[in-house]
Amino acid sequence: MRYGFTTGSCAAAAAKAAAYMLLTGLKKTEITIETPKGILYNAKLLDIMCGENEVSCAVEKDGGDDPDITTGTWIYAKVLYVEENTKNEIIIEGGIGVGRVTKPGLDQPVGNAAINRVPREMIKKEVLEVCRLVDYKGSLRIEISVPEGEKLCERTFNPRLGIVGGISILGTSGIVEPMSSQALIDTIRVELRQRRVLGFDYVAVSPGNYGLEFMRKTYGYDLDKSVKCSNFIGATIDMAVEMGFQKMLLTGHIGKLIKVAGGIMNTHSKEADCRMELLTAFSVKEQIEPLQLRRILECVTTEEAVSVIEESGKLQQVMEQVAEHICYYMENRAGGKIKTDCIIFSNEYGELAKSKGAEEWFILLGQEQAQ
């Protein structure tokens, strides 16, 4: 699998090249930078525009073999002299298509361009290298822009995070590793941290859009105030404990949450799948007939299995067991440091079960909604 390079690496490469062309008057068609990972990035330069006091150029984002909506996007850097500043200072700003932070708890403070700390350090390092090369001791202003950024922003987490007007310039290692789950976990961490910074010690989470939409339609809780944890239930609990949350509500489809009832903390099908076995085991405990147990075990989907259990007349009892076990394993993962509740639903039957403390959440979330 081929790795790619982050928007942060592209911005740093474009900034270094533009600075070199501005300070030397020489044109370049490619530039090399060293990523924080230690891997060299040799970038081709596009759309070069040279003026007396400024130079701009672009680098095309290459995400490698990892699916990435920014792959193919041109990341621009414009470098300008700062005449009024005698210090050797590198000023980094965001231009068109780079988001602006509007909520606390993110990598950058409210009001700043969404160019994260590591990309800023990369840009500064590469530009200062050029300054030393040509013995330039003045200051430079770097403006990073992404012409397609405002449109691409709609397909990212940025609107949920309170980053408006464009994409973020990201990356901690400088490279994009194929099939890496780290980006998703980092996003979950950001959402949790934002909520904690706002003063909340409780959080509602859901594996995906189905759960968030169920919360909105059934209980009137705004999906934008929930945290989408994808398959990473365990990692989300770990991060919530680390940040000092006291309570967590997990809402999700039976197809995902039945795995948690068996202690499975990464619900991706590649990690584990014993949905029917677990549903059958809970049904055995409620003394459902052997023929129906066999039918449950042979089901392909959890929706189908729920229908079989419903035929037995013991759906409520089975699902109450499932909810109890989900909370048990969540609290076990948290080492008893978080009080957990859950709500389970199916597409056909709606709410299947909720834990004993879930009712309290409706009051809590309703009060927050009214603020």
Side-chain angles (χ1 to χ4, degrees):
M1 301 289 278
R2 187 175 63 89
Y3 57 77
F5 293 92
T6 63
T7 49
S9 289
C10 295
K16 181 178 184 178
Y20 180 88
M21 288 186 278
L22 178 66
L23 297 177
T24 66
L26 302 174
K27 190 173 181 179
K28 287 191 77 70
T29 57
E30 59 183 38
I31 199 83
T32 300
I33 67 166
E34 183 179 6
T35 64
K37 190 83 169 179
I39 295 172
L40 296 181
Y41 176 30
N42 187 46
K44 293 182 179 180
L45 307 175
L46 307 165
D47 198 18
I48 299 168
M49 299 183 67
C50 299
E52 185 177 348
N53 295 308
E54 64 180 59
V55 171
S56 71
C57 63
V59 169
E60 184 176 352
K61 169 71 186 313
D62 177 7
D65 289 333
D66 193 59
D68 188 335
I69 65 163
T70 59
T71 292
T73 302
W74 287 18
I75 311 295
Y76 280 80
K78 180 192 292 183
V79 180
L80 310 91
Y81 288 115
V82 182
E83 300 292 349
E84 68 274 13
N85 195 335
T86 57
K87 297 187 297 181
N88 188 205
E89 185 179 10
I90 306 301
I91 302 164
I92 302 171
E93 300 173 343
I96 186 170
V98 172
R100 187 73 51 177
V101 177
T102 66
K103 292 182 180 180
L106 294 170
D107 180 274
Q108 293 295 302
V110 172
N112 270 24
I115 305 172
N116 278 10
R117 177 184 60 83
V118 173
R120 286 177 183 270
E121 291 172 354
M122 292 172 65
I123 292 167
K124 185 175 181 180
K125 170 182 173 290
E126 298 296 340
V127 171
L128 285 175
E129 181 182 309
V130 173
C131 291
R132 286 190 292 270
L133 178 68
V134 299
D135 198 28
Y136 176 75
K137 294 181 171 59
S139 294
L140 295 172
R141 177 176 287 110
I142 317 293
E143 181 184 288
I144 307 300
S145 60
V146 186
E148 297 179 36
E150 192 167 355
K151 183 178 179 180
L152 288 171
C153 174
E154 300 170 4
R155 298 165 58 192
T156 71
F157 283 99
N158 276 10
R160 284 174 55 84
L161 299 176
I163 298 173
V164 301
I167 65 169
S168 300
I169 304 301
L170 303 170
T172 54
S173 67
I175 66 169
V176 179
E177 299 185 51
M179 308 306 292
S180 171
S181 60
Q182 192 58 48
L184 272 174
I185 293 174
D186 288 346
T187 300
I188 297 166
R189 182 181 291 278
V190 167
E191 292 198 35
L192 287 169
R193 185 171 65 233
Q194 274 194 312
R195 187 164 178 81
R196 197 71 184 96
V197 166
L198 290 172
F200 296 103
D201 65 356
Y202 61 90
V203 60
V205 303
S206 179
N209 290 327
Y210 284 148
L212 300 179
E213 188 67 9
F214 175 79
M215 285 290 289
R216 187 183 68 80
K217 286 184 176 180
T218 308
Y219 305 113
Y221 182 60
D222 188 349
L223 59 89
D224 285 335
K225 294 185 179 180
S226 296
V227 171
K228 186 155 61 173
C229 63
S230 186
N231 294 299
F232 305 105
I233 311 292
T236 301
I237 295 170
D238 295 343
M239 290 184 282
V241 169
E242 175 190 323
M243 294 179 198
F245 283 94
Q246 300 298 307
K247 297 172 66 176
M248 177 182 289
L249 172 67
L250 176 65
T251 303
H253 188 274
I254 182 63
K256 287 284 187 188
L257 297 202
I258 185 59
K259 297 181 184 182
V260 182
I264 297 167
M265 290 292 151
N266 184 331
T267 57
H268 196 287
S269 58
K270 290 182 179 179
E271 294 290 330
D273 188 3
C274 54
R275 295 166 300 157
M276 304 314 157
E277 290 85 350
L278 284 165
L279 284 170
T280 303
F282 288 122
S283 298
V284 167
K285 193 172 180 181
E286 292 301 327
Q287 299 182 337
I288 291 178
E289 294 296 324
L291 185 58
Q292 289 177 311
L293 293 175
R294 182 171 180 173
R295 287 175 61 199
I296 295 167
L297 195 57
E298 292 175 349
C299 287
V300 176
T301 68
T302 50
E303 289 282 346
E304 182 185 0
V306 167
S307 295
V308 176
I309 298 170
E310 198 274 336
E311 289 175 16
S312 75
K314 295 184 178 180
L315 181 60
Q316 181 179 345
Q317 296 94 312
V318 170
M319 290 302 146
E320 285 176 356
Q321 276 196 70
V322 173
E324 182 181 336
H325 279 72
I326 289 169
C327 292
Y328 168 79
Y329 281 112
M330 287 177 67
E331 292 187 10
N332 182 67
R333 177 67 178 242
K337 295 178 181 178
I338 290 181
K339 171 68 175 68
T340 66
D341 285 292
C342 70
I343 301 172
I344 314 162
F345 68 91
S346 81
N347 295 337
E348 184 176 350
Y349 294 93
E351 182 186 293
L352 295 173
K354 56 179 178 282
S355 58
K356 293 178 181 178
E359 290 287 348
E360 299 174 10
W361 279 87
F362 303 141
I363 299 171
L364 194 63
L365 300 179
Q367 290 173 342
E368 182 183 337
Q369 190 79 38
Q371 291 178 359

